[in-house]
Amino acid sequence: MDVTKLASGLDTVWVVLTAAMILLMEGGFALLEAGFVRQKNAVSIIMKVFVDIAFGALIYYIFGFALMYGKDAGGWIGTSGFFLKGDLSHIDLSISHETYWLFQCAFVIAVISIVSGAVAERVSFRAYILYAIAMTGLIYPAAGHWIWGSGGWLGRLGMIDFAGSAAIHALGGFAALAAAIQIGPRIGKFNPDGSANIVPPSNLPLASVGAFILWFGWFGFNSGSTLSASNGAIGHIAVTTMLAASAGGAGCIVFTMMRYRKADPPSVINGALAGLVGITAGCAYVSDAAAIAIGIVCGIAMVLATEFLESRRVDDPVGAFAVHGVSGSLGTLAVGLFAQPGRIQEAGHAGLLYGGDWRLLGIQLLGLAVVAVWGFGLTWIALKGINAIVPIRVSRDEELIGLDVGSHGVPAYSQDQDFIEWSRVKP
Amino acid sequence: MDVTKLASGLDTVWVVLTAAMILLMEGGFALLEAGFVRQKNAVSIIMKVFVDIAFGALIYYIFGFALMYGKDAGGWIGTSGFFLKGDLSHIDLSISHETYWLFQCAFVIAVISIVSGAVAERVSFRAYILYAIAMTGLIYPAAGHWIWGSGGWLGRLGMIDFAGSAAIHALGGFAALAAAIQIGPRIGKFNPDGSANIVPPSNLPLASVGAFILWFGWFGFNSGSTLSASNGAIGHIAVTTMLAASAGGAGCIVFTMMRYRKADPPSVINGALAGLVGITAGCAYVSDAAAIAIGIVCGIAMVLATEFLESRRVDDPVGAFAVHGVSGSLGTLAVGLFAQPGRIQEAGHAGLLYGGDWRLLGIQLLGLAVVAVWGFGLTWIALKGINAIVPIRVSRDEELIGLDVGSHGVPAYSQDQDFIEWSRVKP
Amino acid sequence: MDVTKLASGLDTVWVVLTAAMILLMEGGFALLEAGFVRQKNAVSIIMKVFVDIAFGALIYYIFGFALMYGKDAGGWIGTSGFFLKGDLSHIDLSISHETYWLFQCAFVIAVISIVSGAVAERVSFRAYILYAIAMTGLIYPAAGHWIWGSGGWLGRLGMIDFAGSAAIHALGGFAALAAAIQIGPRIGKFNPDGSANIVPPSNLPLASVGAFILWFGWFGFNSGSTLSASNGAIGHIAVTTMLAASAGGAGCIVFTMMRYRKADPPSVINGALAGLVGITAGCAYVSDAAAIAIGIVCGIAMVLATEFLESRRVDDPVGAFAVHGVSGSLGTLAVGLFAQPGRIQEAGHAGLLYGGDWRLLGIQLLGLAVVAVWGFGLTWIALKGINAIVPIRVSRDEELIGLDVGSHGVPAYSQDQDFIEWSRVKP
């Protein structure tokens, strides 16, 4: 038995298993979103998750991956690897290009799933498919190339984003914000005087278990991003991931008990997720204590951001921007504060609080700004364009009936009416 | 540290982890089936999954494994390894026989779980236990021996079935068909004029997350079937698995939008599963493009098969035959078309479209026919025999009340009636 | 590539992956408990699981781990490793101390989650947080040190508890019993004549899938406790785990069919879990046949214990004591009967039925008694103390309304009332 072959085998199973864990996160997203929305839209939001994973994987296979990780052109875009063919020799890993693709594919599906929550309960299914193609085929691959692609300009500047607080979560979060604003609030969410009504989640147990599945998958997300089992940081990454998530959850429990006099379940669920999002950029580079601080700050910021959005009459049904946009941003910047010199390989890189200068924080801020503007702007443009072809919002009647019966002809939950002819049109 | 020991340790954790993933698929089957049936039968179908995993594992430990993987007798049956004892020296792997058993045990449980869906909402619990014993103790082990057992006659002929499109899914699917036909349709499913009524699924969010869990487990199912982390095909297997599943889901989204004017959630759920079933035989041997083609064809075929069964007044509540029987068959044959010479080790083996001759396709067809006839026939006989002891169908009253309360004395879902004395008979 | 580094990398990914599987068990606990309690308390019990994982991890990081695995003081307590700092050189593993902490952290969270079920539907949220801190910060770390800590007095005596039938499950189970007794039965559970009313579980499909997730996680729990992929026992551990679980489930199916004339779903769910709890101490040391025997005995004992507790008017809503306390005890003692000399490394250690003398059984009994008294006693004292600060039981009104709306201001399940202003107090 050859040791190099053994090491390659180990890295392969590590990446395949963690990729599978990330893909299971789609089940987590489906449960989280189905639990947070109203019953009448629970299936429709899950169908969007199916779009994410089905169309997302195919589009990323055909050209998304090539644009992101193909041979660099000017720091802006990849140009090889369509259908995983062509010159990919610049990707020099112990795992095969196919295995690498699978892991990256799990990432792109997560990005688009972030957006699905923000437009829940009112987006047209056809329009959503078109947007999902735009996001997984261009918007994310381009931004991803700048940060992670070989030769990408933000990466060359020294931007650090280990597993994607910026590339995945801030991008997805700002895209979600643009989508939520452009599509407008759900009917009845805001009163004429501007005050907001609370939409009680239809199924909090489902939403909770969705969060636990996401938490599980995040160990794959962050630890798996080493792409090699020989990477000595794996244990540390898993620990900072755990601590930030727990701190986000505990922080939200305490904070909502103080602020609302009650531990608020949706906030606690999202608070743990906010901690996970926040640690994603720095999980390999910050200390345990910093991870806890990041978790607490992101959890509390999520609650405040949720309130702020409501006060601005932006309707984001599952808190996609508050969780992914805000915590993704904070996590990206936190690297500039907390990165420890010993954990970062490259010279000259250290967080401001750990002996570094303002340079890293500045680069992080620049990268974040670029990603936020790109994610928001391109999504705005894409939806405007799509709206000219297929209206992005369903009709008022369909929204009131609910998208499950309205768009898909079947309710999420059926009582024991024995046999009813549903509206599925048979040939 | 000895390298050979290290390699064996790696292979062991790989197989144990993937076996655990496959066993988690039972949770996926439980959710899928509980979500697809009516509320009044949701617990009863889950109890059958418990039978699968509890009795299935014990029976397979006592004698099923021995009949399948024991020392060969004439190509027909294994004869050693009862209670994992006796001569198993012909199984020459880097993992222990126990570890190998665990992985195979996860497979047998999957087979019987396929059948449970087809007889849902009307099968007697006691009769089902007896059938589960027959399936896990004899029907599957025999067919499995022919294909996968050391010296099995179909395997010696050159039949290729990497992770079981034929041995698992076609066998289970044709058994499900026999069971569904013999037990007859649910009361009220078909009108006197022969037209079918649609039974709306009771809980589509549960069914959906069941599909996501199955999808996750399938990475264990297919990639884990290498039984060794040093197998260079693991990454490719995971990628073809992913692409076929996404293609099945995307194919069904597009196809049902064209055919029914609405993306039909149950079809999309089953379409992704159909893609997974279809790629199971060839995941290690076909190209990415072939995987996509297999996924699309299996997804669409599943929709058409579902319609066809209904038109023939066969009532298969969760689509077990349409998903596992049809896609398992197509996937088995697809190997004969798409197998790439470079990926198949044995000389002379290649798919018809990749430079091979008709031989491989012919062998695949023969093997499939054998498995289908055996699965259908033995199930038919077993159920006839069981029916003479315990009627396989519950009484009309029990079916109308629902099997949850009728057979198990407790409903799946209870409202907040505070305390009610249920019909559980205390001693 | 250095072989030692490769081995360490392999051990690290093994432990991180199995730790993640154990952490996913929190999702299993959440579903199991939310499914077993009434609708009006489904969110509140899940919020307690969030407390377990959020506060549990932080407390265990700050001082619980140090007390358990720090430098030994007199066999009684650990004294280093607060915040994972200080001298931990006595922990000599191929994985980092951080990775080791993550795995142990997953364990402590499981312990406290056991207790949450016993006090469901009536415990105050604030009081529960305080108790969770006591359990994860002191009660469990102390007992754990005695058994597993370097220099712990029970471990030095020769007590054997591979993955924690005693340290985790018996401790948690007896703590759950103390808590259930002290807090008293739910309003209406017992009639004035002492007879018990059955509270139908609100959502058995959720409870079932919780059990499947726990089953999955248990492969991580038991196999992962090797802490090294090179440990030759991994395959055997996984197989005994599987067989005991299946035997527990199958045993309960048969036993309840005889006793209640119906296979009782809650008993079957808990029976499989009882088998898992029972095998946890001996999974590495007993034979396959012993594993099956342990599973059957634990499953049946769980049913009888449930009945016994009801007859004594102790209200344990999810059966925490019957599952974890009873099976944990039986499993601990079973090691004294069934441990095979060849599987135990230390000389002189063997079960009574495998050529050993009474010594091992005596030590197991002593250890079990110590853990049971400690878990019960300290929990009793802790709850008495907490009750002086925050009443541990909610008000009668709040209990009748349900803790979801009463304590957390939101129901678990909402129908499609479009927008309702819930009682969440906004600033």
Side-chain angles (χ1 to χ4, degrees):
Chain A
M1 175 58 66
D2 173 11
V3 178
T4 308
K5 198 180 161 207
L6 190 62
S8 173
L10 171 57
D11 292 349
T12 299
V13 303
W14 169 240
V15 174
V16 166
L17 289 172
T18 51
M21 290 167 73
I22 305 172
L23 288 165
L24 182 62
M25 290 172 73
E26 294 308 301
F29 275 115
L31 286 172
L32 185 80
E33 295 178 357
F36 272 161
V37 302
R38 284 168 292 174
Q39 278 197 8
K40 64 184 180 183
N41 298 309
V43 167
S44 79
I45 193 67
I46 291 179
M47 289 299 288
K48 272 144 209 155
V49 176
F50 270 104
V51 167
D52 300 338
I53 194 167
F55 286 87
L58 296 177
I59 295 297
Y60 199 67
Y61 175 76
I62 297 172
F63 59 91
F65 178 80
L67 299 183
M68 185 158 169
Y69 286 109
K71 219 175 171 111
D72 177 64
W76 291 101
I77 202 75
T79 60
S80 64
F82 299 92
F83 295 92
L84 284 178
K85 299 285 192 303
D87 183 10
L88 290 169
S89 59
H90 55 285
I91 304 176
D92 183 23
L93 294 165
S94 61
I95 56 174
S96 69
H97 291 153
E98 274 190 299
T99 309
Y100 183 60
W101 175 84
L102 183 74
F103 193 82
Q104 299 301 338
C105 172
F107 268 42
V108 71
I109 293 168
V111 178
I112 179 66
S113 298
I114 293 168
V115 183
S116 65
V119 292
E121 310 206 57
R122 58 213 193 279
V123 73
S124 143
F125 186 69
R126 281 158 203 266
Y128 183 78
I129 293 178
L130 296 178
Y131 175 71
I133 293 172
M135 176 54 115
T136 59
L138 175 65
I139 304 176
Y140 165 71
H145 182 77
W146 305 338
I147 300 175
W148 288 335
S150 163
W153 71 275
L154 284 170
R156 275 193 312 199
L157 274 180
M159 182 176 178
I160 290 176
D161 187 16
F162 187 73
S165 286
I168 305 280
H169 297 284
L171 181 82
F174 277 93
L177 181 64
I181 292 174
Q182 187 173 134
I183 201 166
R186 291 167 288 176
I187 296 168
K189 171 67 187 173
F190 296 106
N191 299 316
D193 67 356
S195 62
N197 295 305
I198 290 178
V199 187
S202 61
N203 197 324
L204 276 173
L206 284 197
S208 305
V209 77
F212 285 115
I213 289 178
L214 288 167
W215 195 323
F216 171 72
W218 232 287
F219 288 104
F221 210 99
N222 285 1
S223 302
S225 289
T226 55
L227 298 175
S228 169
S230 306
N231 187 313
I234 287 174
H236 183 68
I237 292 168
V239 169
T240 53
T241 301
M242 180 73 199
L243 289 174
S246 289
C252 276
I253 288 172
V254 173
F255 186 69
T256 59
M257 285 173 82
M258 295 192 305
R259 192 170 183 85
Y260 305 141
R261 283 181 252 154
K262 289 174 176 174
D264 179 54
S267 298
V268 174
I269 291 170
N270 272 344
L273 298 180
L276 287 163
V277 169
I279 198 61
T280 296
C283 52
Y285 306 130
V286 304
S287 69
D288 297 346
I292 294 174
I294 289 170
I296 293 173
V297 169
C298 287
I300 293 172
M302 184 279 305
V303 174
L304 298 177
T306 303
E307 291 181 2
F308 177 75
L309 278 195
E310 291 220 333
S311 76
R312 306 300 303 166
R313 302 198 207 180
V314 175
D315 185 14
D316 179 1
V318 309
F321 177 72
V323 172
H324 298 276
V326 174
S327 297
S329 300
L330 291 172
T332 303
L333 299 179
V335 173
L337 294 176
F338 296 116
Q340 293 181 306
R343 298 188 189 276
I344 301 271
Q345 302 303 318
E346 298 82 27
H349 271 120
L352 193 59
L353 304 180
Y354 285 82
D357 53 20
W358 287 89
R359 188 162 169 274
L360 180 57
L361 185 58
I363 295 169
Q364 297 295 106
L365 188 57
L366 170 68
L368 173 64
V370 167
V371 160
V373 169
W374 174 258
F376 189 99
L378 264 280
T379 294
W380 192 271
I381 294 167
L383 290 177
K384 281 286 178 199
I386 292 165
N387 197 42
I389 310 168
V390 186
I392 58 172
R393 184 152 182 164
V394 299
S395 70
R396 180 181 167 85
D397 279 359
E398 193 168 332
E399 185 173 342
L400 290 175
I401 294 170
L403 275 59
D404 290 359
V405 169
S407 300
H408 299 291
V410 64
Y413 305 98
S414 294
Q415 305 294 319
D416 279 346
Q417 313 107 316
D418 266 354
F419 294 95
I420 292 161
E421 185 68 50
W422 282 95
S423 60
R424 184 159 117 175
V425 180
K426 284 299 185 77
Chain B
M1 176 58 66
D2 173 12
V3 178
T4 309
K5 199 181 160 206
L6 190 62
S8 172
L10 170 58
D11 292 348
T12 299
V13 304
W14 169 239
V15 173
V16 167
L17 289 172
T18 51
M21 289 167 74
I22 304 172
L23 289 164
L24 182 62
M25 289 172 72
E26 294 308 301
F29 275 115
L31 287 172
L32 185 80
E33 294 178 358
F36 272 161
V37 302
R38 283 167 292 173
Q39 279 198 6
K40 64 183 180 182
N41 298 309
V43 167
S44 80
I45 193 67
I46 291 179
M47 288 299 286
K48 272 144 209 156
V49 175
F50 271 104
V51 167
D52 300 338
I53 193 167
F55 286 87
L58 297 176
I59 296 297
Y60 199 67
Y61 174 76
I62 297 171
F63 60 91
F65 179 80
L67 299 183
M68 186 157 168
Y69 286 109
K71 219 174 169 111
D72 177 63
W76 292 101
I77 202 78
T79 61
S80 63
F82 300 92
F83 296 91
L84 283 179
K85 301 283 192 304
D87 182 10
L88 290 170
S89 59
H90 55 286
I91 304 176
D92 183 23
L93 295 165
S94 61
I95 56 173
S96 70
H97 292 152
E98 275 189 297
T99 309
Y100 184 59
W101 175 84
L102 183 73
F103 192 83
Q104 299 301 337
C105 173
F107 269 41
V108 70
I109 294 168
V111 177
I112 179 65
S113 298
I114 293 167
V115 182
S116 65
V119 293
E121 311 204 61
R122 58 212 194 279
V123 74
S124 144
F125 187 70
R126 282 159 202 268
Y128 184 78
I129 293 178
L130 296 178
Y131 175 71
I133 293 172
M135 177 53 116
T136 59
L138 176 64
I139 304 176
Y140 166 71
H145 181 77
W146 306 337
I147 299 175
W148 287 335
S150 163
W153 71 274
L154 284 170
R156 275 193 311 200
L157 274 181
M159 183 176 177
I160 290 176
D161 187 15
F162 187 72
S165 285
I168 305 279
H169 296 283
L171 181 81
F174 277 93
L177 180 64
I181 292 174
Q182 188 174 132
I183 201 166
R186 290 167 289 175
I187 297 169
K189 171 66 188 174
F190 295 105
N191 298 316
D193 67 356
S195 62
N197 295 305
I198 290 178
V199 187
S202 61
N203 197 323
L204 276 173
L206 283 196
S208 304
V209 78
F212 285 115
I213 290 177
L214 288 167
W215 194 323
F216 171 71
W218 232 287
F219 287 104
F221 210 99
N222 285 1
S223 302
S225 289
T226 55
L227 298 173
S228 169
S230 306
N231 187 313
I234 287 173
H236 182 68
I237 293 167
V239 168
T240 53
T241 301
M242 180 72 198
L243 289 174
S246 289
C252 276
I253 289 172
V254 173
F255 186 68
T256 59
M257 285 173 83
M258 295 191 305
R259 193 169 182 85
Y260 305 141
R261 281 181 255 153
K262 289 175 177 174
D264 179 54
S267 298
V268 174
I269 292 170
N270 273 344
L273 299 179
L276 287 162
V277 168
I279 198 61
T280 297
C283 52
Y285 307 129
V286 305
S287 69
D288 298 346
I292 294 174
I294 290 170
I296 292 173
V297 169
C298 288
I300 293 172
M302 185 279 303
V303 174
L304 299 176
T306 303
E307 291 181 1
F308 177 75
L309 279 195
E310 291 220 333
S311 76
R312 306 300 302 166
R313 302 198 208 181
V314 175
D315 184 14
D316 179 359
V318 309
F321 177 72
V323 172
H324 299 276
V326 173
S327 298
S329 300
L330 292 172
T332 303
L333 299 180
V335 173
L337 292 176
F338 296 115
Q340 293 180 304
R343 299 189 189 275
I344 302 271
Q345 301 304 319
E346 299 81 27
H349 272 119
L352 192 60
L353 305 181
Y354 284 83
D357 54 21
W358 287 89
R359 189 163 169 272
L360 181 56
L361 186 59
I363 294 169
Q364 297 296 105
L365 187 59
L366 170 68
L368 173 64
V370 167
V371 160
V373 169
W374 174 258
F376 189 99
L378 265 280
T379 294
W380 191 271
I381 294 167
L383 289 177
K384 282 286 176 196
I386 292 165
N387 197 41
I389 311 168
V390 186
I392 58 173
R393 183 153 183 163
V394 298
S395 71
R396 180 181 168 85
D397 279 359
E398 195 169 329
E399 184 173 341
L400 290 175
I401 294 168
L403 274 59
D404 290 359
V405 169
S407 301
H408 300 290
V410 64
Y413 304 98
S414 294
Q415 304 295 319
D416 280 346
Q417 314 107 319
D418 266 354
F419 294 94
I420 291 161
E421 186 68 52
W422 282 96
S423 60
R424 186 161 117 175
V425 180
K426 283 297 183 79
Chain C
M1 175 58 66
D2 174 13
V3 177
T4 309
K5 199 183 158 205
L6 189 63
S8 173
L10 170 58
D11 292 349
T12 298
V13 304
W14 170 239
V15 174
V16 166
L17 289 172
T18 52
M21 288 167 74
I22 305 171
L23 289 165
L24 182 63
M25 289 172 73
E26 294 308 301
F29 275 114
L31 286 173
L32 185 79
E33 295 179 359
F36 272 161
V37 302
R38 284 168 292 174
Q39 277 197 7
K40 64 183 180 183
N41 298 308
V43 167
S44 79
I45 194 66
I46 291 178
M47 289 299 287
K48 273 143 208 155
V49 175
F50 271 104
V51 167
D52 301 338
I53 193 166
F55 286 86
L58 296 175
I59 296 296
Y60 199 68
Y61 174 75
I62 298 172
F63 59 91
F65 179 80
L67 299 183
M68 185 156 169
Y69 287 109
K71 220 176 168 112
D72 176 64
W76 291 103
I77 201 77
T79 61
S80 65
F82 300 92
F83 295 92
L84 283 179
K85 299 284 191 303
D87 182 10
L88 290 170
S89 58
H90 55 284
I91 304 176
D92 183 22
L93 294 166
S94 61
I95 56 174
S96 70
H97 291 154
E98 276 189 296
T99 309
Y100 184 58
W101 175 84
L102 182 75
F103 193 82
Q104 299 300 336
C105 173
F107 268 41
V108 71
I109 293 168
V111 179
I112 179 64
S113 298
I114 293 167
V115 184
S116 65
V119 293
E121 310 205 60
R122 58 211 193 282
V123 73
S124 142
F125 187 69
R126 281 157 202 267
Y128 184 79
I129 292 177
L130 296 178
Y131 174 72
I133 292 172
M135 177 52 117
T136 58
L138 176 65
I139 304 176
Y140 166 72
H145 182 77
W146 306 338
I147 300 175
W148 288 335
S150 163
W153 72 275
L154 284 171
R156 275 192 313 200
L157 273 181
M159 183 176 176
I160 290 176
D161 188 16
F162 187 73
S165 286
I168 306 279
H169 296 283
L171 181 82
F174 277 93
L177 181 64
I181 292 174
Q182 189 174 132
I183 201 167
R186 291 167 287 177
I187 296 169
K189 171 65 187 175
F190 295 105
N191 299 315
D193 67 356
S195 63
N197 295 305
I198 290 178
V199 187
S202 61
N203 198 323
L204 277 173
L206 283 196
S208 304
V209 76
F212 285 115
I213 290 177
L214 288 167
W215 195 323
F216 171 71
W218 232 288
F219 288 104
F221 210 99
N222 285 0
S223 302
S225 289
T226 54
L227 298 174
S228 169
S230 305
N231 187 312
I234 287 173
H236 183 67
I237 293 168
V239 168
T240 54
T241 300
M242 180 72 199
L243 289 174
S246 289
C252 276
I253 288 172
V254 173
F255 186 68
T256 59
M257 285 174 83
M258 295 192 305
R259 193 169 181 85
Y260 305 142
R261 281 180 255 153
K262 287 174 178 174
D264 179 54
S267 299
V268 174
I269 292 170
N270 272 344
L273 298 180
L276 288 162
V277 169
I279 197 62
T280 297
C283 53
Y285 308 130
V286 304
S287 69
D288 298 345
I292 294 174
I294 289 170
I296 292 172
V297 169
C298 287
I300 293 172
M302 184 279 305
V303 174
L304 299 176
T306 303
E307 291 182 2
F308 177 76
L309 278 195
E310 291 220 333
S311 76
R312 306 300 302 165
R313 301 198 208 179
V314 175
D315 185 14
D316 179 0
V318 309
F321 178 73
V323 172
H324 299 276
V326 172
S327 298
S329 300
L330 292 172
T332 304
L333 300 178
V335 173
L337 294 175
F338 296 116
Q340 293 181 304
R343 299 189 188 275
I344 301 273
Q345 302 302 318
E346 298 81 28
H349 271 119
L352 193 60
L353 304 181
Y354 285 84
D357 54 21
W358 288 88
R359 188 162 170 275
L360 180 57
L361 186 59
I363 294 169
Q364 298 295 106
L365 187 58
L366 171 68
L368 173 63
V370 167
V371 160
V373 169
W374 173 258
F376 189 99
L378 264 280
T379 294
W380 192 271
I381 294 167
L383 290 177
K384 281 287 177 198
I386 291 166
N387 198 40
I389 310 169
V390 186
I392 58 172
R393 185 154 182 161
V394 298
S395 70
R396 180 181 169 82
D397 278 0
E398 193 168 331
E399 185 173 341
L400 290 175
I401 293 169
L403 275 60
D404 290 358
V405 169
S407 301
H408 299 291
V410 63
Y413 305 97
S414 294
Q415 304 295 320
D416 279 346
Q417 314 107 317
D418 266 355
F419 294 95
I420 291 161
E421 184 69 49
W422 283 96
S423 59
R424 184 160 116 174
V425 180
K426 283 298 185 74

